[in-house]
């Protein structure tokens, strides 16, 4: 059951083949079993079971809220969740319990989704490995796959198994691992410079970064306000589309969301690709590209071409400036967004009370980790 | 400063420095690096205070002062600039703080429409160009009353620019000699107010109240076109009246709704501008001019003594009456201005550019706002002068007190007396009583109707003006009786019998032939004794002016 798509599970729930509570309990038990992955910072067992109970009542009455009703989901720990600790994997927010839900979290809850817990990440979503949070690194479930175990046996010659594991990529590594390990059907990540797509690729799941302005950032603890978007991690593309349909749309609380109404959509099942035109940007064929990646890329391009799609070369001429611009914007906005963490209103506060400046300095030194760019 | 220094600021906008204390230069020799030249023999001259500013004495150089202002006015709106929490001056500490105001992570600003309208209206009233597109920026600094570590303001492209503010100052000794001056409005920008810090030195702690954090402010920047404290105070006063007339701010300085920072420098005319200092947080109308003038004098003395002016921030110590450097603002701050990424550019429209099918809730039409602008104080005053023939300074006085204009207009409505009479009674008698007892117009025990009735009695010549004053005083003290009732009770009616008065005067003249002779000899003032006597004989019920007229007529016949 846990390996099914959202639509399949939803149908099963409607037909009574499985109940939300069962689903919830199975996921919770799997979370416990896969604790070594360190994908979850907080497991909200009580909350999830209660939500499952209510979902069950709805299904019994035949009043399901939609495709997500009764479906276990996980949320990256940089989204505000009312009453549930939100840490951003940082000492600065350890123990911080927000009084409100992020808009995207609220939307999921309004659809009846079950919140399994908050997933691990790089501290404040700054990183691309999910290794830099205070709760330790997230381990890629594929580290425990048969293939990798065989590879490891060949290499290690008796080295400690525990220390040989693969990273999930980041910064939404916890969400990616949670989805990849079947502990939930969908997870929210965030994407600033690849933080949803990167771990999705590493963990073999689907990672969608919606266009900026499509999904509300209200409640997403920001890294770079002009680039952040909530990301969606699922095990198949159709599931990602379902979740996007629920999350997209104007939010009056976020002035950067577009005003135009978003029409719900379903992805067409694509069997005929002859009408597709696919562009391969030439600037991305850099010398640093690994041969494995390059061959996979060619393989995909060839696959489409052989099925009748048009595959052409395109140019994205500003590519070479992108990293530099990203760094300038990123460092400026991060510095700005981190200015609010002074220990006064919430979060960690140091013990010094000599002066305000001293308190700020000590609080921030203790609360923040070193920045690893 | 020991030496009282007389100066007129307005005519030539010149300052003549007349020396400080007793002997700043005396016995010190010429200081090195002094900007003044050939001053050796001047110490004796420097002792005398100068009375006129027009002609500098030989050898002494004039100083000119340059004053610019940054005025922060709290916008009168129900909720804050970027969040939905209420705006209220007297609420319990930290009771009006939303998640955004407390800078909880993940919260985002949402622009308040009313605040934008207030900014546009103020810009229109000050003849500014309204920028169809304006931008928001972050201004960073660390302070306990700034929860986010930055203030959202409009540094690059504010909402309104290039306007002007006309104000009036008195020139010369008499209040009636008023001239209109203009100061350029550099820009108007929207920005957030900070919270309040209360320093508890006893317990070495600072208490933070975030009720005010995030309240919308209009920052009005006035160009350095002013030259002294009085001009600055007059400009601020006029701006206050405009904001209050528009309803965009209550602009009450005592409640912190209007705060002024002044940029002040001095220089010799014809030479480049001097280094300026900023005097911050002038929160009292009374001390605004004083503080600015003090700083001007301080800078002049400093330079005259060969010192330098530091480009620093100072505050005004109300108790000591002087400006002092502000310690925690030393050194130049790098505010690291950055565009506010959570707020798209603010786009305003006029009727010509409104997008079709636009939701009126989502767009602001400048032309519509312009049509709805209330009457500005300047126009109100002009109307008063035209309609009632009053002097300009009277129109100023009427607008200068809350509720006074309305009171005046209500009296006018109900009385047949001449507007000039009404003006005089309202501004002299009525206002005088109010000021004496420190009352607001709304607290006046005398209603417009009562005063109107009293003025009617006077107009009909039913009572004399001195009787009227008496009645007024009585009205002020005790309620419940109408003027007519009081007149009747105290028997203050003027004598209506003209014949009887003629008779009385004639007999008085006959009884005092000496006075008659004195008057005829050329001492007209001798008649006053007779007037007094006739008055007493009528028990005060004859109008002295009428008595005088009758006597004079009888004397000349």
């Amino acid at each position: 059951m846990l390996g099914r798509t959202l639509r399949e599970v939803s149908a099963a729930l409607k037909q009574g083949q499985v109940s939300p509570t069962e689903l919830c309990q199975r996921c919770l038990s799997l979370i416990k079993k896969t604790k070594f992955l360190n994908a979850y910072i907080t497991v909200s067992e009580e909350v999830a079971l209660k939500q499952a109970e209510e979902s069950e009542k709805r299904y019994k009455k035949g009043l399901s809220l939609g495709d997500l009703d009764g479906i276990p989901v996980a949320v990256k720990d940089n989204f505000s969740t009312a009453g549930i600790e939100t840490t951003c994997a940082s000492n600065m927010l350890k123990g911080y319990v927000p009084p409100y839900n992020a808009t995207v979290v609220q939307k999921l809850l309004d659809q009846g989704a079950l919140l399994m817990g908050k997933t691990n990440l790089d501290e404040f979503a700054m990183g691309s490995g999910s290794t830099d949070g205070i709760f330790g690194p997230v381990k890629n479930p594929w580290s425990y796959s048969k293939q990798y175990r065989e590879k490891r046996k060949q290499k290690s010659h008796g080295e400690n198994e525990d220390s040989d594991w693969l990273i999930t990529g980041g910064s939404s590594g916890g969400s990616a691992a949670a989805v990849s390990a079947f502990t939930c059907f969908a997870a929210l990540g965030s994407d600033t410079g690849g933080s949803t797509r990167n771990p999705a690729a590493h963990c073999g799941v689907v990672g969608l970064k919606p266009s900026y302005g499509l999904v509300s950032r209200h409640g997403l603890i920001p890294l770079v306000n002009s680039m952040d978007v909530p990301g969606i991690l699922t095990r198949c593309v159709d599931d990602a589309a379902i979740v996007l349909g629920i999350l997209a749309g104007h939010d009056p609380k976020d002035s950067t969301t577009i005003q135009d109404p978003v029409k719900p959509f379903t992805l067409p099942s694509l069997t005929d690709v002859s009408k597709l035109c696919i562009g391969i940007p030439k600037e991305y064929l850099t010398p640093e590209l690994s041969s494995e990646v390059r061959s996979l890329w060619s393989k995909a391009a060839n696959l489409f071409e052989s099925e009748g799609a048009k595959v052409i070369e395109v140019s994205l001429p500003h590519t070479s400036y992108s990293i530099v611009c990203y760094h300038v914007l990123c460092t400026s906005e991060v510095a700005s967004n981190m200015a609010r963490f002074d220990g006064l209103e919430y979060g960690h506060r140091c013990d010094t009370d000599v002066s305000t400046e001293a308190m700020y300095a000590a609080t921030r030194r203790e609360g923040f980790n070193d920045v690893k760019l | 400063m020991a030496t009282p220094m007389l100066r007129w600021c307005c005519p030539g906008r010149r300052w003549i420095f007349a020396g400080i204390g007793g002997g700043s230069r005396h016995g010190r020799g010429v200081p090195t690096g002094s900007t003044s030249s050939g001053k050796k023999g001047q110490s004796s001259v420097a002792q005398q205070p100068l009375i006129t500013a027009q002609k500098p004495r030989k050898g002494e150089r004039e100083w000119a002062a340059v004053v610019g202002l940054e005025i922060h006015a709290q916008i009168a709106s129900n909720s804050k600039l970027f969040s939905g929490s209420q705006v209220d001056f007297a609420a319990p500490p930290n009771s009006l703080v939303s998640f955004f105001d407390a800078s909880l992570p993940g919260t985002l600003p949402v622009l308040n429409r009313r605040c934008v309208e207030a900014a546009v209206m103020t810009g229109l009233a000050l003849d500014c160009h309204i920028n169809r597109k304006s931008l928001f920026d972050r201004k960073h600094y660390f302070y306990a009353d700034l929860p986010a570590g930055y203030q959202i303001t409009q540094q690059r492209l504010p909402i309104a620019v290039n306007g002007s503010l006309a104000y009036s100052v008195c020139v010369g000794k008499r209040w009636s000699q008023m001239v209109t001056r203009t100061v350029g409005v550099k820009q108007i920008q929207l920005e957030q107010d900070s919270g309040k810090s209360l320093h508890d030195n006893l317990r070495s702690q600072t208490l933070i109240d975030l009720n005010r954090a995030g309240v919308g402010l209009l920052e009005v920047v006035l160009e350095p076109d002013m030259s002294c404290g009085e001009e600055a105070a007059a400009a601020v006063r006029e701006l206050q009246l405009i904001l209050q007339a528009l309803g965009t701010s209550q602009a009450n300085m005592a409640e912190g709704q209007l705060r002024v920072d002044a940029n002040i420098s001095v220089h010799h005319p014809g030479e480049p501008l001097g280094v300026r200092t900023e005097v911050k947080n002038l929160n009292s109308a009374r001390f605004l001019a004083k503080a600015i003038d003090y700083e001007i004098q301080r800078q002049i003395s400093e330079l005259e003594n060969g010192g330098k002016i530091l480009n620093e921030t100072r505050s005004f110590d109300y108790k000591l009456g002087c400006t002092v450097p502000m310690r925690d603002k030393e050194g130049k701050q790098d505010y690291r201005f950055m565009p506010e990424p959570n707020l798209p550019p603010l786009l305003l429209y006029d009727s010509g550019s409104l997008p079709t099918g636009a939701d009126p809730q989502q767009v602001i039409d400048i032309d519509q706002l312009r049509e709805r602008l209330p009457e500005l104080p300047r126009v109100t005053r002009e109307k008063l002068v035209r309609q009632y023939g009053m002097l300009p300074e009277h129109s100023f006085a009427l607008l200068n007190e809350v509720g006074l204009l309305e009171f005046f207009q209500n009296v006018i409505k109900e009385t047949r007396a001449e507007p000039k009479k009404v003006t005089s009674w309202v501004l002299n008698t009525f206002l005088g009583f109010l000021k004496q007892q420190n009352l607001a117009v709304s607290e006046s025990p005398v209603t417009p109707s009562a005063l109107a009735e009293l003025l009617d009695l006077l107009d009909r010549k039913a009572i004399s003006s001195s009787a009227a004053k008496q009645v007024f005083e009585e009205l002020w003290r005790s309620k419940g009786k109408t003027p007519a009732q009081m007149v009747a009770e105290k028997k203050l009616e003027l004598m209506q019998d003209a014949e009887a008065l003629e008779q009385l005067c004639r007999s008085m003249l006959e009884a005092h032939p000496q006075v008659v002779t004195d008057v005829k000899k050329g001492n007209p003032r001798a008649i006053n004794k007779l007037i007094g006597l006739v008055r007493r004989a009528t028990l005060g019920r004859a109008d002295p002016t009428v008595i005088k007229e009758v006597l004079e007529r009888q004397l000349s016949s």
Side-chain angles (χ1 to χ4, degrees):
Chain A
M1 184 59 62
L2 293 186
R4 307 250 184 110
T5 68
L6 268 179
R7 274 194 223 278
E8 288 169 350
V9 183
S10 188
L13 283 167
K14 281 207 188 89
Q15 287 156 21
Q17 286 168 19
V18 67
S19 77
T21 312
E22 275 172 44
L23 211 50
C24 184
Q25 276 164 346
R26 274 196 231 175
C27 285
L28 284 171
S29 119
L30 192 53
I31 291 174
K32 286 198 185 88
K33 275 206 217 124
T34 56
K35 204 158 174 213
F36 53 88
L37 291 177
N38 205 17
Y40 287 83
I41 294 175
T42 305
V43 180
S44 44
E45 184 164 336
E46 269 176 45
V47 169
L49 285 170
K50 187 154 187 298
Q51 288 166 343
E53 201 182 302
E54 302 196 340
S55 173
E56 206 157 305
K57 283 193 201 134
R58 288 192 291 269
Y59 273 110
K60 285 215 172 90
K61 289 196 198 138
L63 294 169
S64 99
L65 292 167
D67 284 330
L68 279 191
D69 201 340
I71 305 287
V73 299
V75 168
K76 186 174 178 182
D77 209 17
N78 61 353
F79 284 92
S80 268
T81 42
I84 301 176
E85 191 185 0
T86 301
T87 66
C88 295
S90 174
N91 276 318
M92 190 58 93
L93 288 179
K94 210 161 171 197
Y96 167 64
V97 179
Y100 73 101
N101 276 327
T103 298
V104 288
V105 170
Q106 191 61 52
K107 285 189 171 179
L108 290 176
L109 294 177
D110 288 344
Q111 287 288 310
L114 313 178
L115 183 56
M116 292 290 116
K118 309 297 291 298
T119 59
N120 203 349
L121 60 154
D122 282 308
E123 182 164 350
F124 279 111
M126 218 168 160
S128 53
S130 300
T131 51
D132 295 339
I134 57 157
F135 297 105
V138 185
K139 294 184 185 163
N140 194 326
W142 292 94
S143 318
Y144 305 93
S145 67
K146 223 198 285 183
Q147 298 100 306
Y148 191 66
R149 268 187 261 156
E150 309 244 313
K151 240 198 221 172
R152 219 170 37 207
K153 274 203 200 112
Q154 290 165 16
K155 279 198 298 177
S156 68
H157 312 300
E159 256 176 46
N160 189 358
E161 227 180 69
D162 253 1
S163 63
D164 191 356
W165 47 270
L166 301 165
I167 62 168
T168 51
S171 60
S172 314
S175 286
V179 171
S180 177
F182 296 92
T183 61
C184 60
F185 287 87
L188 284 184
S190 69
D191 196 309
T192 305
S195 292
T196 290
R197 296 162 285 168
N198 178 320
H202 277 79
C203 296
V205 297
V206 171
L208 175 67
K209 174 202 171 297
S211 302
Y212 186 88
L214 189 58
V215 181
S216 170
R217 287 181 298 112
H218 173 253
L220 167 59
I221 296 172
L223 189 64
V224 182
N225 292 107
S226 48
M227 290 189 246
D228 292 346
V229 286
I232 300 166
L233 294 131
T234 55
R235 287 191 289 274
C236 74
V237 176
D238 194 44
D239 291 355
I242 292 175
V243 178
L244 181 63
I246 288 162
L247 298 183
H250 175 66
D251 181 9
K253 296 193 191 121
D254 179 353
S255 309
T256 58
T257 51
I258 49 169
Q259 305 267 0
D260 307 340
V262 173
K263 287 182 280 216
F265 58 91
T266 34
L267 281 184
S269 47
L270 207 60
T271 43
D272 175 21
V273 299
S274 59
K275 301 228 171 62
L276 276 186
C277 180
I278 297 174
I280 305 287
K282 62 180 182 190
E283 288 85 2
Y284 281 72
L285 214 58
T286 63
E288 295 87 11
L289 198 59
S290 81
S291 51
E292 184 185 357
V293 171
R294 188 189 312 211
S295 71
L296 281 169
W297 194 7
S298 302
K299 191 170 167 190
N302 292 335
L303 180 64
F304 277 105
E305 202 167 42
S306 63
E307 291 291 326
K310 196 163 129 190
V311 180
I312 56 165
E313 186 188 76
V314 294
S315 171
L316 298 178
H318 303 109
T319 305
S320 59
Y321 305 115
S322 57
I323 301 285
V324 170
C325 290
Y326 176 81
H327 273 287
V328 171
L329 294 175
C330 188
T331 43
S332 316
E333 292 207 29
V334 169
S336 178
N337 288 327
M338 296 296 142
R340 65 187 57 208
F341 296 112
D342 52 20
L344 269 182
E345 292 88 12
Y346 48 81
H348 173 67
R349 189 202 279 217
C350 68
D351 290 326
T352 319
D353 57 359
V354 167
S355 72
T356 313
E357 280 82 19
M359 192 207 74
Y360 279 14
T363 296
R364 289 162 74 82
R365 190 178 53 243
E366 291 166 14
F368 288 142
N369 208 340
D370 287 337
V371 170
K372 294 176 182 97
L373 279 173
Chain B
M1 300 259 286
T3 306
M5 201 170 102
L6 295 170
R7 83 294 180 272
W8 289 165
C9 74
C10 302
R13 291 201 218 175
R14 301 282 199 240
W15 290 75
I16 301 295
F17 177 63
I20 6 160
S24 50
R25 218 163 289 115
H26 197 69
R28 245 220 244 172
V30 178
T32 49
S34 168
T35 52
S36 48
S37 53
K39 291 262 180 177
K40 280 211 179 125
Q42 293 302 308
S43 43
S44 53
V45 176
Q47 300 294 332
Q48 297 169 11
L50 290 171
I51 296 181
T52 165
Q54 293 290 28
K55 293 207 177 97
R57 296 193 176 209
K58 225 203 293 191
E60 270 204 16
R61 297 181 61 201
E62 294 174 347
W63 286 99
V66 172
V67 179
L69 298 177
E70 280 164 27
I71 301 165
H72 292 90
Q74 256 186 19
I75 300 174
S77 58
N78 288 331
S79 53
K80 298 185 179 179
L81 183 56
F82 294 118
S83 73
S85 21
Q86 294 241 318
V87 178
D88 183 1
F89 175 64
N94 292 315
S95 61
L96 302 172
V97 185
S98 68
F99 299 149
F100 174 76
D101 303 329
S103 79
L104 290 193
T107 52
L108 299 169
V110 179
L111 186 54
N112 178 332
R113 183 204 173 89
R114 159 66 184 157
C115 292
V116 179
E117 288 181 349
V120 174
M121 284 168 70
T122 306
L124 291 172
L126 293 176
D127 285 323
C128 294
H129 168 76
I130 308 293
N131 281 327
R132 297 299 189 266
K133 173 168 141 179
S134 60
L135 306 169
F136 289 99
D137 305 294
R138 293 184 183 178
K139 176 179 180 183
H140 300 84
Y141 60 93
F142 285 102
Y143 205 69
D145 63 16
L146 196 65
Y150 59 84
Q151 174 202 38
I152 301 179
T153 176
Q154 294 189 295
Q155 194 248 2
R156 288 169 292 155
L157 198 55
I159 191 166
V161 291
N162 291 339
S164 69
L165 169 64
Y167 62 96
S168 296
V169 275
C170 294
V171 294
K173 280 207 189 104
R174 288 169 47 217
W175 178 234
S176 56
Q177 291 175 276
M178 301 187 81
V179 290
T180 308
R181 294 254 155 87
T182 313
V183 56
V185 175
K186 177 158 186 260
Q187 64 189 56
I188 298 176
Q189 63 199 57
L190 281 166
E191 58 184 38
Q192 292 174 305
D193 207 346
S194 64
K196 276 207 194 123
S197 354
L198 297 126
H199 300 289
D200 179 2
N201 289 319
L202 208 61
R203 294 184 197 80
S204 302
Q205 61 184 9
T206 302
L207 307 168
I208 307 290
D209 176 10
L210 292 181
N211 281 351
R212 203 183 66 180
V215 170
L217 290 179
L218 289 177
E219 179 174 328
V220 180
V221 181
L222 297 182
E223 301 274 18
D225 297 338
M226 294 162 284
S227 63
C228 63
E230 192 176 335
E231 288 186 355
V236 170
R237 180 72 189 119
E238 187 65 13
L239 180 63
Q240 230 179 353
L241 291 173
I242 292 174
L243 292 171
Q244 288 165 351
L246 291 174
T248 51
S249 171
Q250 285 167 46
N252 182 334
M253 284 183 94
E255 290 189 4
Q257 291 157 344
L258 193 76
R259 312 196 280 268
V260 181
D261 299 337
N263 291 309
I264 300 161
S265 73
V266 297
H267 65 282
H268 292 298
E271 285 183 17
L273 296 180
V275 174
R276 67 178 159 90
T277 61
E278 188 186 5
V279 181
K280 276 190 98 63
N281 283 334
L282 298 164
N283 299 341
S284 154
R286 253 178 68 206
F287 290 108
L288 183 68
K290 267 208 176 96
I292 292 174
D293 286 341
Y294 172 87
E295 178 61 16
I296 292 173
Q297 287 197 29
R298 182 193 76 86
Q299 289 195 9
I300 290 175
S301 351
E302 188 66 37
L303 290 172
E304 289 276 355
N305 284 331
K308 277 208 183 91
I309 303 299
L310 295 171
N311 174 216
E312 61 179 352
T313 306
R314 302 173 75 90
S315 66
F316 186 64
D317 186 317
Y318 293 93
K319 293 201 196 102
L320 298 175
C322 62
T323 62
V324 293
M326 283 175 84
R327 263 181 305 131
D328 51 0
K329 301 246 176 178
E330 265 170 27
K332 271 205 157 169
Q333 281 261 26
D334 181 2
Y335 292 113
R336 292 177 285 131
F337 284 101
M338 185 183 96
E340 168 55 72
N342 291 319
L343 291 169
L346 174 59
L347 299 175
L348 302 172
Y349 302 92
D350 43 47
S351 39
S353 64
L354 264 179
T356 43
D359 181 0
Q361 291 284 68
Q362 293 293 326
V363 294
I364 286 184
D365 182 346
I366 298 174
D367 288 331
Q368 250 187 33
L369 286 176
R370 188 182 282 117
E371 278 165 40
R372 285 175 15 209
L373 275 185
E375 188 175 272
L376 294 180
R378 186 181 61 234
V379 175
T380 309
R381 287 190 291 250
E382 282 165 17
K383 274 193 185 167
L384 285 172
V385 170
R386 262 203 326 269
Q387 205 172 352
Y388 302 118
M390 67 173 71
L391 295 172
E393 63 258 32
H394 293 157
S395 68
F396 270 91
L398 277 178
L399 261 62
N400 209 36
E401 190 72 32
V402 175
L404 191 61
L405 178 63
E406 198 183 328
F407 187 92
F408 169 82
Q409 283 166 332
N410 285 338
V411 177
I412 288 264
K413 256 192 269 181
E414 293 187 39
T415 185
R416 282 145 84 225
E418 261 186 26
K420 288 211 172 130
K421 257 278 185 284
V422 180
T423 307
S424 170
W425 269 81
V426 169
L427 287 182
N428 297 324
T429 318
F430 176 68
L431 197 56
F433 269 79
L434 277 181
K435 289 299 170 196
Q436 205 183 59
Q437 292 172 31
N438 204 13
L439 294 172
V441 174
S442 55
E443 297 168 314
S444 155
V446 176
T447 63
S449 310
L451 182 56
E453 194 188 317
L454 181 59
L455 291 176
D456 275 345
L457 287 172
L458 192 57
D459 188 56
R460 282 203 321 261
K461 298 207 197 301
I463 54 174
S464 69
S465 61
S466 51
K469 292 241 166 62
Q470 242 183 292
V471 174
F472 187 84
E473 208 176 302
E474 196 57 40
L475 278 173
W476 195 275
R477 268 205 306 266
S478 54
K479 291 193 196 165
K481 297 211 189 98
T482 67
Q485 286 171 331
M486 286 185 186
V487 167
E489 263 178 37
K490 305 235 169 164
K491 294 206 194 333
L492 292 168
E493 313 90 347
L494 276 181
M495 223 168 114
Q496 299 298 339
D497 190 349
E499 185 55 45
L501 186 62
E502 296 276 340
Q503 194 76 317
L504 198 54
C505 288
R506 228 171 282 134
S507 42
M508 204 56 79
L509 282 173
E510 279 166 25
H512 298 86
Q514 188 55 42
V515 179
V516 177
T517 328
D518 285 341
V519 173
K520 293 214 167 133
K521 270 208 206 136
N523 181 11
R525 281 198 293 192
I527 210 172
N528 289 346
K529 182 177 177 198
L530 280 180
I531 297 175
L533 287 170
V534 172
R535 267 200 84 197
R536 244 182 285 135
T538 61
L539 302 167
R541 291 174 58 202
D543 192 337
T545 27
V546 176
I547 299 174
K548 187 173 183 204
E549 184 197 84
V550 171
L551 285 171
E552 281 175 348
R553 195 185 352 106
Q554 292 178 350
L555 277 172
S556 60
S557 60

